[in-house]
Amino acid sequence: MIKKLTAFVLALAALCTMSGCSLSDTSWVAKYDGRQVSAGVYIYYIVQAYQSAFYQVEDMSKDVLKQTVEDVPAEEWIAKEAMDGFADFMATEQEFERLGLSLDESTLSNVDSLMAQMWAYYGAIYEKAGISQDSYREIVANAYKQNEIFHAYYGPGGQFEVPEEELKSYFSANYAKMKYLYVEYKEPAEGEEKAEDDTSLTQEQAIAQVNGYLDQVKAGTTLDAVIDAYNESKGRTVDTTDERRNVNYLQTSEDNQDMPLIEKAFSMPYDTPEVFTTEGRVYLIARYDVLSDAADLDLNRDGLLSNMKDEEFQSKLAALQDPASYTTNQDAVNRYSVKKIVKLVA
């Protein structure tokens, strides 16, 4: 009986060798401190890397794996990107635990909500690749964990806390608090006359309309009231109980289609509405001091910290990546190869 069983095992092993299957447990891809990370997490990063490569190859109509990305064979590039993504995932998980952090009930609810939304769009593709909903939930939760680590570093009382004055200085230099409305206009092409059924305004008409709104403000009507009336005339819902309903924050940028508006915003005096014309639009616009109301800083604090410190944070997280801190299941890595996963989702 023992001989028959041995022969059966050897035969099965030989069959698996020929067919590419594995007798080992490939349901997990990494293990540390008694925790196993599912193979679906690693597969996810292969899929993400493939999708990124797809948009970078020379000819998207051809087999991606037969092309190059950044002068590197696509298969090799995808494998490295996937492993880098997975290493980032692991560094986040381990640092989150080292810092003794946890996700509260509200955050966990957000994880489930976001996961459900994204799964509705991409679930079919992920399932084809072998990514379960549980694995995808780990991915989504990891993003929230990374956010918690960021705030543990740079938030109040954090190891690398950003001083309040530094935050205020950055806010004032890089953000403009605005209230505005705009009226669009369209000029006929050179040599053409405006069609009789064309209801669009000319530039002259738009300027006259916006100057009328400015006259209302000069006569004592608040800018909020003027903007509210304009929005209501366009069929938009206006919540007049929201004191910040018309506030916008424009950020400095070197590559933005609204650069004329941004340049104007940062050159304006405070509390003085003006008429401003750009290509296709005429604005009634006013700027306010971002530091005059503490609520402005509080509302934008997370975004400010992110803009100021995200690059530094990513470097710190990369420095924490340590494959020696966990056991990698090489059988799983080999089984879920780039070629195999790409074949499933391409």
Side-chain angles (χ1 to χ4, degrees):
M1 181 65 183
I2 294 177
K3 289 183 179 180
K4 289 183 179 180
L5 182 59
T6 302
F8 172 76
V9 171
L10 291 174
L12 181 60
L15 178 62
C16 285
T17 299
M18 290 185 289
S19 63
C21 69
S22 173
L23 292 176
S24 62
D25 180 6
T26 55
S27 64
W28 61 277
V29 74
K31 183 187 299 184
Y32 70 97
D33 295 337
R35 176 189 168 185
Q36 289 185 347
V37 178
S38 66
V41 171
Y42 173 64
I43 296 172
Y44 168 83
Y45 288 106
I46 295 178
V47 174
Q48 290 297 104
Y50 165 69
Q51 291 175 336
S52 178
F54 179 82
Y55 290 104
Q56 296 185 61
V57 294
E58 185 176 349
D59 189 343
M60 291 186 290
S61 67
K62 295 181 180 179
D63 187 344
V64 170
L65 298 188
K66 292 181 179 179
Q67 301 182 68
T68 61
V69 179
E70 299 176 346
D71 298 322
V72 176
E75 183 177 355
E76 180 182 331
W77 187 91
I78 293 170
K80 183 180 184 305
E81 285 292 303
M83 194 55 74
D84 286 348
F86 181 72
D88 183 72
F89 173 94
M90 292 299 296
T92 298
E93 293 292 309
Q94 292 178 304
E95 181 68 352
F96 186 80
E97 293 179 12
R98 186 189 72 80
L99 294 172
L101 301 174
S102 61
L103 300 180
D104 60 27
E105 289 301 317
S106 176
T107 304
L108 290 172
S109 178
N110 290 337
V111 169
D112 290 334
S113 178
L114 180 58
M115 188 204 75
Q117 292 177 37
M118 299 302 290
W119 193 262
Y121 286 102
Y122 303 110
I125 295 175
Y126 291 156
E127 285 185 323
K128 283 176 62 177
I131 304 167
S132 68
Q133 287 194 46
D134 286 342
S135 292
Y136 187 61
R137 189 180 189 281
E138 289 186 68
I139 298 293
V140 176
N142 185 266
Y144 281 90
K145 290 177 181 180
Q146 192 167 117
N147 187 58
E148 292 296 323
I149 295 171
F150 180 89
H151 285 96
Y153 280 3
Y154 300 106
Q159 183 178 355
F160 311 104
E161 179 180 1
V162 177
E164 194 76 356
E165 288 307 310
E166 183 180 339
L167 199 64
K168 288 180 178 180
S169 177
Y170 183 87
F171 191 27
S172 181
N174 293 278
Y175 286 75
K177 178 182 178 180
M178 314 297 298
K179 290 183 181 181
Y180 59 81
L181 64 78
Y182 62 82
V183 174
E184 295 183 325
Y185 68 86
K186 179 182 178 183
E187 294 288 2
E190 186 176 349
E192 293 184 1
E193 293 187 5
K194 186 176 180 179
E196 292 185 5
D197 60 347
D198 186 352
T199 59
S200 62
L201 301 178
T202 64
Q203 182 181 31
E204 184 179 356
Q205 291 171 323
I207 290 174
Q209 182 174 329
V210 176
N211 272 319
Y213 297 142
L214 178 59
D215 289 341
Q216 292 178 39
V217 174
K218 289 179 177 179
T221 305
T222 65
L223 182 56
D224 276 329
V226 172
I227 295 174
D228 291 345
Y230 177 75
N231 285 332
E232 288 173 343
S233 74
K234 295 297 181 180
R236 300 165 187 156
T237 301
V238 176
D239 179 7
T240 57
T241 63
D242 180 5
E243 295 182 355
R244 312 185 70 82
R245 62 190 176 279
N246 296 316
V247 173
N248 296 276
Y249 301 96
L250 299 183
Q251 185 180 354
T252 53
S253 172
E254 295 180 356
D255 182 20
N256 192 301
Q257 62 180 357
D258 293 326
M259 276 308 297
L261 176 62
I262 291 173
E263 290 173 355
K264 174 64 176 177
F266 280 88
S267 65
M268 289 181 66
Y270 296 135
D271 309 310
T272 308
E274 296 181 17
V275 174
F276 174 63
T277 302
T278 65
E279 184 68 32
R281 291 179 177 179
V282 180
Y283 289 83
L284 175 59
I285 183 172
R287 180 189 183 191
Y288 305 90
D289 184 358
V290 294
L291 299 180
S292 64
D293 184 349
D296 288 304
L297 183 63
D298 290 337
L299 285 170
N300 289 280
R301 187 177 297 273
D302 287 352
L304 291 170
L305 286 173
S306 179
N307 288 339
M308 293 174 70
K309 296 297 181 179
D310 185 65
E311 187 174 339
E312 177 183 300
F313 174 64
Q314 294 303 326
S315 295
K316 290 183 181 298
L317 203 59
L320 294 174
Q321 295 178 9
D322 180 15
S325 67
Y326 54 87
T327 300
T328 300
N329 185 351
Q330 196 59 45
D331 285 339
V333 173
N334 294 339
R335 178 180 180 183
Y336 305 113
S337 65
V338 170
K339 281 185 178 179
K340 183 176 290 186
I341 301 305
V342 167
K343 186 177 181 179
L344 293 172
V345 299

